[in-house]
Amino acid sequence: GKKEDAVDDTQAATVKETAASEENAPKKEKVPESEKITVDGTEVTIENKRIKVGDKLEDAELIAPVNEFNKMKKVRLSDDKGIKLIYTAPSLDTPVCSLQTKMLDEKAKEHANVFFYSITDDLPFAMMRFCSDNGIANLKTLSDFQTHEFSSKNGFLMKEYQLLTRAVIIVDEDNIVRYVDYGKEVTD
């Protein structure tokens, strides 16, 4: 009767609205299987286009480690002139990121002519504590927590988590990317 017709009309209207909204929604870029980044096996979306060899790394303000919030200092990667190796990660306080940061700190000793960085979304106080507790002295830790400008401009921001994905980037003196490797599984 009338109730069934009303339900059918409502369902038809819902289907049409859903189809119309999907048609107008921004198209999600198809990521080849070999380039997918996952967290615990679930694919994540990287905001903006991923950086690739030959691209210019976009400069951005980052925060240096401090032990008092009212003394935060903004820095830019362009402040250092030369070859840079940049490791991006969600946080220094995760097992994989912690281990890799310690390994890179050791490697930085061997390559005095290269600037080594670890960029995360950690608070500057957490970075200061981590470096102090772990004897990190040869690479610079910087944070993108305030604006995500660096990670979003350069294709390192995981949309679902609002954290940096794991990647290693090497840029030359002109900030041209000469090497980039995105970690396929962020938790590995």
Side-chain angles (χ1 to χ4, degrees):
K2 289 183 181 181
K3 249 188 200 178
E4 291 162 351
D5 290 344
V7 169
D8 288 343
D9 289 345
T10 302
Q11 287 174 339
T14 302
V15 168
K16 285 179 185 173
E17 287 171 15
T18 303
S21 67
E22 287 174 359
E23 205 172 277
N24 295 329
K27 301 287 184 244
K28 185 178 176 188
E29 188 178 338
K30 268 289 211 197
V31 177
E33 196 65 37
S34 63
E35 294 179 22
K36 288 184 178 178
I37 296 172
T38 60
V39 172
D40 293 326
T42 302
E43 184 180 2
V44 293
T45 306
I46 301 299
E47 285 196 5
N48 292 327
K49 197 171 184 181
R50 295 180 201 193
I51 202 161
K52 60 187 182 312
V53 172
D55 289 347
K56 185 171 179 103
L57 185 75
E58 295 287 332
D59 205 12
E61 284 188 343
L62 296 158
I63 309 297
V66 294
N67 56 8
E68 297 177 40
F69 78 91
N70 59 337
K71 298 198 168 125
M72 282 196 263
K73 179 182 173 192
K74 293 181 179 182
V75 298
R76 296 174 106 45
L77 291 175
S78 61
D79 294 344
D80 291 326
K81 307 297 182 211
I83 297 170
K84 300 171 184 81
L85 184 144
I86 303 158
Y87 170 63
T88 64
S91 173
L92 296 170
D93 282 321
T94 61
V96 174
C97 303
S98 172
L99 178 65
Q100 288 185 325
T101 298
K102 292 172 191 174
M103 290 169 51
L104 284 173
D105 187 60
E106 287 299 313
K107 287 289 181 194
K109 284 184 200 176
E110 301 168 19
H111 301 282
N113 59 335
V114 176
F115 294 99
F116 280 70
Y117 301 90
S118 178
I119 302 175
T120 66
D121 280 317
D122 288 305
L123 292 173
F125 337 110
M127 291 186 327
M128 179 72 88
R129 178 198 41 75
F130 177 88
C131 291
S132 176
D133 290 354
N134 293 283
I136 303 296
N138 303 299
L139 66 78
K140 295 181 180 185
T141 56
L142 299 173
S143 179
D144 196 27
F145 89 99
Q146 276 190 329
T147 64
H148 292 125
E149 181 185 12
F150 172 81
S151 54
S152 61
K153 278 183 172 181
N154 291 297
F156 299 115
L157 186 64
M158 294 184 291
K159 183 178 181 178
E160 293 83 353
Y161 295 93
Q162 290 299 293
L163 294 169
L164 281 92
T165 191
R166 279 190 315 105
V168 175
I169 310 97
I170 298 174
V171 297
D172 65 16
E173 299 86 350
D174 298 317
N175 284 333
I176 302 299
V177 176
R178 298 299 172 199
Y179 174 86
V180 63
D181 182 31
Y182 284 86
K184 302 299 177 211
E185 169 58 54
V186 178
T187 59
D188 281 348

